Amino acid sequence: MEVIYTGLRQTPEQIVSAALQEDADVIGLSILSGAHNHIAPRLMRLLREKELDDVLVVIGGIIPEVDIPGLKQLGIQGVFLPGTPMQAIVDFIRAHVRAQPALAPEGIS
């Protein structure tokens, strides 16, 4: 996996722009501020507008369990709470990321 870290306090517009420029397969958000119900709807709307509906979106951080169904309804596929083992997140991403087309050997098209 190649990871591109865009820094702290990125707006949904900046996140979607980076995903578009980098042809991202996954967007991972870490939100500790409680702003997930503000950021996630805007992010998912922008992804649809840019026709990036196939980008896997996962979120982790301080997220009350009562908010998880709403996040999933928006299209966020993975929600990870504090204490989730990193391997569980990696396994989830590998299992849910869109399949990449196989590259043809050189000279064959």
Side-chain angles (χ1 to χ4, degrees), residues 23-104:
D23 192 27
D25 296 311
V26 180
I27 294 174
L29 303 173
S30 175
I31 300 180
L32 303 174
S33 65
H36 53 278
N37 285 330
H38 174 72
I39 293 170
R42 179 82 180 135
L43 175 74
M44 300 308 290
R45 186 171 40 256
L46 289 168
L47 287 172
R48 283 190 301 279
E49 288 173 8
K50 298 292 184 183
E51 298 180 359
L52 296 174
D53 322 63
D54 59 344
V55 174
L56 174 68
V57 180
V58 297
I59 189 169
I62 308 299
I63 299 167
E65 298 233 2
V66 69
D67 292 345
I68 294 173
L71 293 170
K72 290 192 173 187
Q73 187 174 17
L74 289 171
I76 293 174
Q77 293 187 38
V79 180
F80 302 97
L81 303 179
T84 302
M86 188 62 66
Q87 190 61 51
I89 299 169
V90 170
D91 292 345
F92 181 89
I93 290 170
R94 285 190 173 140
H96 292 86
V97 74
R98 66 184 175 205
Q100 296 298 311
L103 296 176

Side-chain angles (χ1 to χ4, degrees), residues 2-3 12-15 22 29 31 34 39 41 53 55 68 78 109:
E2 177 184 1
V3 176
E13 290 79 9
Q14 291 169 315
I15 295 166
E22 298 294 339
L29 303 173
I31 300 180
I39 293 170
D53 322 63
V55 174
I68 294 173
S109 53

